[in-house]
mmCIF file of all heavy atoms in Angstrom:
data_model
loop_
_atom_site.group_PDB
_atom_site.id
_atom_site.type_symbol
_atom_site.label_atom_id
_atom_site.label_comp_id
_atom_site.label_asym_id
_atom_site.label_seq_id
_atom_site.Cartn_x
_atom_site.Cartn_y
_atom_site.Cartn_z
ATOM 1 N N ALA O 1 101.515 106.495 104.319
ATOM 2 C CA ALA O 1 100.899 105.174 104.145
ATOM 3 C C ALA O 1 99.427 105.221 104.540
ATOM 4 O O ALA O 1 98.958 106.189 105.133
ATOM 5 C CB ALA O 1 101.623 104.134 105.004
ATOM 6 N N GLY O 2 98.735 104.168 104.199
ATOM 7 C CA GLY O 2 97.365 103.956 104.670
ATOM 8 C C GLY O 2 96.379 105.027 104.249
ATOM 9 O O GLY O 2 96.405 105.520 103.120
ATOM 10 N N ILE O 3 95.507 105.408 105.170
ATOM 11 C CA ILE O 3 94.442 106.370 104.889
ATOM 12 C C ILE O 3 95.005 107.737 104.522
ATOM 13 O O ILE O 3 94.486 108.415 103.640
ATOM 14 C CB ILE O 3 93.482 106.478 106.100
ATOM 15 C CG1 ILE O 3 92.744 105.157 106.277
ATOM 16 C CG2 ILE O 3 92.510 107.641 105.924
ATOM 17 C CD1 ILE O 3 91.936 105.063 107.547
ATOM 18 N N GLY O 4 96.087 108.138 105.191
ATOM 19 C CA GLY O 4 96.706 109.430 104.867
ATOM 20 C C GLY O 4 97.180 109.478 103.428
ATOM 21 O O GLY O 4 96.952 110.460 102.713
ATOM 22 N N LEU O 5 97.838 108.423 102.971
ATOM 23 C CA LEU O 5 98.313 108.363 101.586
ATOM 24 C C LEU O 5 97.140 108.324 100.616
ATOM 25 O O LEU O 5 97.139 109.029 99.606
ATOM 26 C CB LEU O 5 99.218 107.149 101.389
ATOM 27 C CG LEU O 5 99.750 106.922 99.978
ATOM 28 C CD1 LEU O 5 100.516 108.140 99.468
ATOM 29 C CD2 LEU O 5 100.632 105.681 99.945
ATOM 30 N N ALA O 6 96.131 107.553 100.925
ATOM 31 C CA ALA O 6 94.948 107.476 100.050
ATOM 32 C C ALA O 6 94.255 108.839 99.965
ATOM 33 O O ALA O 6 93.809 109.254 98.885
ATOM 34 C CB ALA O 6 93.981 106.412 100.563
ATOM 35 N N THR O 7 94.173 109.533 101.086
ATOM 36 C CA THR O 7 93.568 110.863 101.105
ATOM 37 C C THR O 7 94.384 111.834 100.262
ATOM 38 O O THR O 7 93.830 112.609 99.475
ATOM 39 C CB THR O 7 93.461 111.383 102.554
ATOM 40 O OG1 THR O 7 92.654 110.474 103.309
ATOM 41 C CG2 THR O 7 92.844 112.764 102.610
ATOM 42 N N ALA O 8 95.699 111.790 100.414
ATOM 43 C CA ALA O 8 96.569 112.668 99.626
ATOM 44 C C ALA O 8 96.396 112.412 98.136
ATOM 45 O O ALA O 8 96.290 113.349 97.346
ATOM 46 C CB ALA O 8 98.028 112.465 100.043
ATOM 47 N N LYS O 9 96.360 111.158 97.736
ATOM 48 C CA LYS O 9 96.178 110.809 96.321
ATOM 49 C C LYS O 9 94.839 111.319 95.798
ATOM 50 O O LYS O 9 94.760 111.886 94.711
ATOM 51 C CB LYS O 9 96.249 109.300 96.118
ATOM 52 C CG LYS O 9 97.641 108.742 96.175
ATOM 53 C CD LYS O 9 97.619 107.233 95.925
ATOM 54 C CE LYS O 9 99.002 106.639 95.949
ATOM 55 N NZ LYS O 9 98.981 105.188 95.706
ATOM 56 N N ALA O 10 93.787 111.112 96.583
ATOM 57 C CA ALA O 10 92.450 111.529 96.145
ATOM 58 C C ALA O 10 92.372 113.048 95.995
ATOM 59 O O ALA O 10 91.845 113.553 94.998
ATOM 60 C CB ALA O 10 91.402 111.029 97.131
ATOM 61 N N LEU O 11 92.880 113.773 96.971
ATOM 62 C CA LEU O 11 92.836 115.236 96.903
ATOM 63 C C LEU O 11 93.692 115.759 95.761
ATOM 64 O O LEU O 11 93.277 116.652 95.018
ATOM 65 C CB LEU O 11 93.281 115.844 98.232
ATOM 66 C CG LEU O 11 92.337 115.634 99.413
ATOM 67 C CD1 LEU O 11 92.974 116.114 100.711
ATOM 68 C CD2 LEU O 11 91.017 116.352 99.177
ATOM 69 N N TYR O 12 94.887 115.207 95.610
ATOM 70 C CA TYR O 12 95.781 115.650 94.543
ATOM 71 C C TYR O 12 95.160 115.408 93.173
ATOM 72 O O TYR O 12 95.282 116.232 92.275
ATOM 73 C CB TYR O 12 97.128 114.942 94.668
ATOM 74 C CG TYR O 12 98.185 115.495 93.755
ATOM 75 C CD1 TYR O 12 98.853 116.673 94.075
ATOM 76 C CD2 TYR O 12 98.525 114.836 92.577
ATOM 77 C CE1 TYR O 12 99.825 117.183 93.235
ATOM 78 C CE2 TYR O 12 99.505 115.336 91.733
ATOM 79 C CZ TYR O 12 100.153 116.514 92.061
ATOM 80 O OH TYR O 12 101.108 117.010 91.220
ATOM 81 N N SER O 13 94.480 114.289 93.015
ATOM 82 C CA SER O 13 93.847 113.989 91.725
ATOM 83 C C SER O 13 92.721 114.963 91.404
ATOM 84 O O SER O 13 92.354 115.133 90.248
ATOM 85 C CB SER O 13 93.322 112.553 91.694
ATOM 86 O OG SER O 13 92.185 112.417 92.518
ATOM 87 N N GLU O 14 92.187 115.634 92.437
ATOM 88 C CA GLU O 14 91.127 116.625 92.248
ATOM 89 C C GLU O 14 91.683 118.037 92.076
ATOM 90 O O GLU O 14 90.931 119.004 92.056
ATOM 91 C CB GLU O 14 90.166 116.597 93.446
ATOM 92 C CG GLU O 14 89.384 115.306 93.568
ATOM 93 C CD GLU O 14 88.418 115.101 92.410
ATOM 94 O OE1 GLU O 14 87.832 116.096 91.936
ATOM 95 O OE2 GLU O 14 88.271 113.954 91.974
ATOM 96 N N GLY O 15 93.015 118.160 92.005
ATOM 97 C CA GLY O 15 93.622 119.461 91.778
ATOM 98 C C GLY O 15 94.038 120.205 93.030
ATOM 99 O O GLY O 15 94.424 121.367 92.962
ATOM 100 N N VAL O 16 93.942 119.559 94.166
ATOM 101 C CA VAL O 16 94.327 120.180 95.433
ATOM 102 C C VAL O 16 95.833 120.036 95.620
ATOM 103 O O VAL O 16 96.392 118.961 95.404
ATOM 104 C CB VAL O 16 93.577 119.515 96.619
ATOM 105 C CG1 VAL O 16 94.036 120.075 97.946
ATOM 106 C CG2 VAL O 16 92.075 119.675 96.452
ATOM 107 N N ASN O 17 96.505 121.118 96.006
ATOM 108 C CA ASN O 17 97.925 121.035 96.346
ATOM 109 C C ASN O 17 98.042 120.365 97.707
ATOM 110 O O ASN O 17 97.330 120.720 98.645
ATOM 111 C CB ASN O 17 98.561 122.417 96.393
ATOM 112 C CG ASN O 17 98.697 123.008 95.010
ATOM 113 O OD1 ASN O 17 99.010 122.314 94.065
ATOM 114 N ND2 ASN O 17 98.441 124.288 94.901
ATOM 115 N N VAL O 18 98.929 119.391 97.800
ATOM 116 C CA VAL O 18 99.018 118.567 99.002
ATOM 117 C C VAL O 18 100.401 118.686 99.628
ATOM 118 O O VAL O 18 101.411 118.590 98.928
ATOM 119 C CB VAL O 18 98.730 117.085 98.652
ATOM 120 C CG1 VAL O 18 98.936 116.188 99.847
ATOM 121 C CG2 VAL O 18 97.310 116.935 98.112
ATOM 122 N N ALA O 19 100.420 118.886 100.945
ATOM 123 C CA ALA O 19 101.655 118.805 101.735
ATOM 124 C C ALA O 19 101.467 117.637 102.692
ATOM 125 O O ALA O 19 100.428 117.526 103.341
ATOM 126 C CB ALA O 19 101.893 120.090 102.506
ATOM 127 N N MET O 20 102.443 116.741 102.741
ATOM 128 C CA MET O 20 102.324 115.554 103.586
ATOM 129 C C MET O 20 103.388 115.569 104.669
ATOM 130 O O MET O 20 104.489 116.062 104.462
ATOM 131 C CB MET O 20 102.476 114.282 102.759
ATOM 132 C CG MET O 20 101.405 114.104 101.728
ATOM 133 S SD MET O 20 101.536 112.548 100.831
ATOM 134 C CE MET O 20 103.152 112.628 100.130
ATOM 135 N N SER O 21 103.034 115.010 105.805
ATOM 136 C CA SER O 21 104.008 114.827 106.878
ATOM 137 C C SER O 21 103.811 113.442 107.462
ATOM 138 O O SER O 21 102.828 112.761 107.189
ATOM 139 C CB SER O 21 103.829 115.879 107.968
ATOM 140 O OG SER O 21 102.631 115.646 108.677
ATOM 141 N N THR O 22 104.771 113.049 108.255
ATOM 142 C CA THR O 22 104.689 111.772 108.934
ATOM 143 C C THR O 22 105.080 111.983 110.390
ATOM 144 O O THR O 22 105.588 113.028 110.740
ATOM 145 C CB THR O 22 105.574 110.722 108.238
ATOM 146 O OG1 THR O 22 105.322 109.452 108.802
ATOM 147 C CG2 THR O 22 107.033 111.068 108.342
ATOM 148 N N THR O 23 104.812 111.024 111.216
ATOM 149 C CA THR O 23 105.103 111.168 112.631
ATOM 150 C C THR O 23 106.176 110.172 113.050
ATOM 151 O O THR O 23 106.506 109.254 112.319
ATOM 152 C CB THR O 23 103.835 110.920 113.469
ATOM 153 O OG1 THR O 23 103.354 109.609 113.167
ATOM 154 C CG2 THR O 23 102.755 111.943 113.155
ATOM 155 N N GLY O 24 106.697 110.366 114.212
ATOM 156 C CA GLY O 24 107.634 109.397 114.761
ATOM 157 C C GLY O 24 109.084 109.742 114.518
ATOM 158 O O GLY O 24 109.685 109.276 113.561
ATOM 159 N N TYR O 25 109.642 110.588 115.362
ATOM 160 C CA TYR O 25 111.037 110.997 115.231
ATOM 161 C C TYR O 25 111.969 109.785 115.188
ATOM 162 O O TYR O 25 112.932 109.760 114.437
ATOM 163 C CB TYR O 25 111.417 111.930 116.379
ATOM 164 C CG TYR O 25 112.851 112.371 116.338
ATOM 165 C CD1 TYR O 25 113.247 113.356 115.443
ATOM 166 C CD2 TYR O 25 113.806 111.798 117.165
ATOM 167 C CE1 TYR O 25 114.560 113.765 115.376
ATOM 168 C CE2 TYR O 25 115.124 112.199 117.112
ATOM 169 C CZ TYR O 25 115.502 113.191 116.220
ATOM 170 O OH TYR O 25 116.804 113.587 116.158
ATOM 171 N N ALA O 26 111.675 108.773 115.958
ATOM 172 C CA ALA O 26 112.542 107.591 116.015
ATOM 173 C C ALA O 26 112.601 106.860 114.674
ATOM 174 O O ALA O 26 113.561 106.150 114.398
ATOM 175 C CB ALA O 26 112.061 106.639 117.102
ATOM 176 N N TYR O 27 111.608 107.044 113.851
ATOM 177 C CA TYR O 27 111.545 106.358 112.563
ATOM 178 C C TYR O 27 111.714 107.338 111.399
ATOM 179 O O TYR O 27 111.257 107.075 110.300
ATOM 180 C CB TYR O 27 110.217 105.624 112.424
ATOM 181 C CG TYR O 27 109.962 104.659 113.552
ATOM 182 C CD1 TYR O 27 109.042 104.949 114.539
ATOM 183 C CD2 TYR O 27 110.675 103.469 113.632
ATOM 184 C CE1 TYR O 27 108.818 104.058 115.588
ATOM 185 C CE2 TYR O 27 110.462 102.583 114.678
ATOM 186 C CZ TYR O 27 109.528 102.889 115.647
ATOM 187 O OH TYR O 27 109.321 102.014 116.675
ATOM 188 N N ALA O 28 112.374 108.447 111.654
ATOM 189 C CA ALA O 28 112.459 109.524 110.665
ATOM 190 C C ALA O 28 113.030 109.053 109.331
ATOM 191 O O ALA O 28 112.492 109.378 108.275
ATOM 192 C CB ALA O 28 113.270 110.687 111.211
ATOM 193 N N ALA O 29 114.113 108.284 109.334
ATOM 194 C CA ALA O 29 114.721 107.844 108.071
ATOM 195 C C ALA O 29 113.774 106.946 107.287
ATOM 196 O O ALA O 29 113.588 107.131 106.084
ATOM 197 C CB ALA O 29 116.033 107.119 108.347
ATOM 198 N N ARG O 30 113.164 105.989 107.962
ATOM 199 C CA ARG O 30 112.224 105.097 107.279
ATOM 200 C C ARG O 30 111.030 105.887 106.757
ATOM 201 O O ARG O 30 110.599 105.687 105.622
ATOM 202 C CB ARG O 30 111.742 104.005 108.224
ATOM 203 C CG ARG O 30 110.784 103.030 107.530
ATOM 204 C CD ARG O 30 110.058 102.154 108.491
ATOM 205 N NE ARG O 30 109.107 102.994 109.213
ATOM 206 C CZ ARG O 30 108.329 102.570 110.179
ATOM 207 N NH1 ARG O 30 108.413 101.331 110.587
ATOM 208 N NH2 ARG O 30 107.491 103.366 110.781
ATOM 209 N N ASN O 31 110.510 106.795 107.579
ATOM 210 C CA ASN O 31 109.349 107.565 107.166
ATOM 211 C C ASN O 31 109.678 108.510 106.018
ATOM 212 O O ASN O 31 108.840 108.745 105.152
ATOM 213 C CB ASN O 31 108.763 108.324 108.344
ATOM 214 C CG ASN O 31 108.057 107.407 109.325
ATOM 215 O OD1 ASN O 31 107.671 106.297 108.970
ATOM 216 N ND2 ASN O 31 107.897 107.843 110.543
ATOM 217 N N GLN O 32 110.890 109.050 105.992
ATOM 218 C CA GLN O 32 111.282 109.907 104.873
ATOM 219 C C GLN O 32 111.289 109.103 103.581
ATOM 220 O O GLN O 32 110.827 109.578 102.546
ATOM 221 C CB GLN O 32 112.656 110.535 105.114
ATOM 222 C CG GLN O 32 113.066 111.491 103.996
ATOM 223 C CD GLN O 32 112.104 112.648 103.844
ATOM 224 O OE1 GLN O 32 111.820 113.348 104.818
ATOM 225 N NE2 GLN O 32 111.577 112.846 102.654
ATOM 226 N N GLU O 33 111.790 107.896 103.628
ATOM 227 C CA GLU O 33 111.771 107.031 102.446
ATOM 228 C C GLU O 33 110.337 106.758 102.006
ATOM 229 O O GLU O 33 110.028 106.770 100.812
ATOM 230 C CB GLU O 33 112.490 105.722 102.732
ATOM 231 C CG GLU O 33 113.986 105.863 102.908
ATOM 232 C CD GLU O 33 114.657 104.587 103.386
ATOM 233 O OE1 GLU O 33 113.977 103.547 103.495
ATOM 234 O OE2 GLU O 33 115.863 104.639 103.645
ATOM 235 N N ARG O 34 109.449 106.530 102.975
ATOM 236 C CA ARG O 34 108.042 106.266 102.650
ATOM 237 C C ARG O 34 107.390 107.502 102.047
ATOM 238 O O ARG O 34 106.604 107.397 101.101
ATOM 239 C CB ARG O 34 107.290 105.793 103.892
ATOM 240 C CG ARG O 34 107.752 104.411 104.352
ATOM 241 C CD ARG O 34 107.128 104.035 105.652
ATOM 242 N NE ARG O 34 105.810 103.454 105.389
ATOM 243 C CZ ARG O 34 105.009 103.011 106.342
ATOM 244 N NH1 ARG O 34 105.379 103.072 107.607
ATOM 245 N NH2 ARG O 34 103.846 102.499 106.031
ATOM 246 N N LEU O 35 107.706 108.694 102.580
ATOM 247 C CA LEU O 35 107.150 109.920 102.020
ATOM 248 C C LEU O 35 107.670 110.153 100.600
ATOM 249 O O LEU O 35 106.906 110.545 99.721
ATOM 250 C CB LEU O 35 107.485 111.127 102.899
ATOM 251 C CG LEU O 35 106.588 111.330 104.109
ATOM 252 C CD1 LEU O 35 107.134 112.457 104.971
ATOM 253 C CD2 LEU O 35 105.151 111.620 103.702
ATOM 254 N N ASP O 36 108.960 109.915 100.387
ATOM 255 C CA ASP O 36 109.512 110.059 99.041
ATOM 256 C C ASP O 36 108.802 109.137 98.059
ATOM 257 O O ASP O 36 108.472 109.532 96.942
ATOM 258 C CB ASP O 36 111.018 109.764 99.041
ATOM 259 C CG ASP O 36 111.834 110.824 99.776
ATOM 260 O OD1 ASP O 36 111.311 111.937 100.016
ATOM 261 O OD2 ASP O 36 112.992 110.518 100.112
ATOM 262 N N GLN O 37 108.544 107.908 98.473
ATOM 263 C CA GLN O 37 107.832 106.957 97.615
ATOM 264 C C GLN O 37 106.390 107.398 97.404
ATOM 265 O O GLN O 37 105.846 107.288 96.296
ATOM 266 C CB GLN O 37 107.864 105.551 98.210
ATOM 267 C CG GLN O 37 107.224 104.505 97.317
ATOM 268 C CD GLN O 37 107.874 104.411 95.957
ATOM 269 O OE1 GLN O 37 109.087 104.271 95.855
ATOM 270 N NE2 GLN O 37 107.087 104.516 94.901
ATOM 271 N N ALA O 38 105.758 107.934 98.447
ATOM 272 C CA ALA O 38 104.378 108.417 98.326
ATOM 273 C C ALA O 38 104.297 109.550 97.309
ATOM 274 O O ALA O 38 103.383 109.582 96.484
ATOM 275 C CB ALA O 38 103.856 108.869 99.689
ATOM 276 N N VAL O 39 105.248 110.474 97.363
ATOM 277 C CA VAL O 39 105.268 111.577 96.398
ATOM 278 C C VAL O 39 105.431 111.027 94.981
ATOM 279 O O VAL O 39 104.737 111.450 94.060
ATOM 280 C CB VAL O 39 106.391 112.583 96.735
ATOM 281 C CG1 VAL O 39 106.604 113.587 95.610
ATOM 282 C CG2 VAL O 39 106.063 113.301 98.038
ATOM 283 N N ALA O 40 106.318 110.071 94.810
ATOM 284 C CA ALA O 40 106.513 109.457 93.493
ATOM 285 C C ALA O 40 105.235 108.773 93.008
ATOM 286 O O ALA O 40 104.915 108.811 91.814
ATOM 287 C CB ALA O 40 107.663 108.459 93.544
#
């Protein structure tokens, strides 16, 4: 989400291969859903 997602989109659009991660073990399930949506 936020700046991290915007950065990933911008770099990917320029041809850069992007690997994304998220933080917060307690929110792992929610964050995984957010990462899946970000990739989509």
Side-chain angles (χ1 to χ4, degrees):
I3 294 171
L5 178 57
T7 300
K9 284 182 179 180
L11 291 172
Y12 189 79
S13 72
E14 294 294 323
V16 176
N17 289 321
V18 175
M20 297 184 302
S21 70
T22 188
T23 58
Y25 179 77
Y27 304 106
R30 182 193 70 183
N31 288 339
Q32 183 61 53
E33 291 172 5
R34 292 173 85 179
L35 278 173
D36 291 343
Q37 184 59 52
V39 169

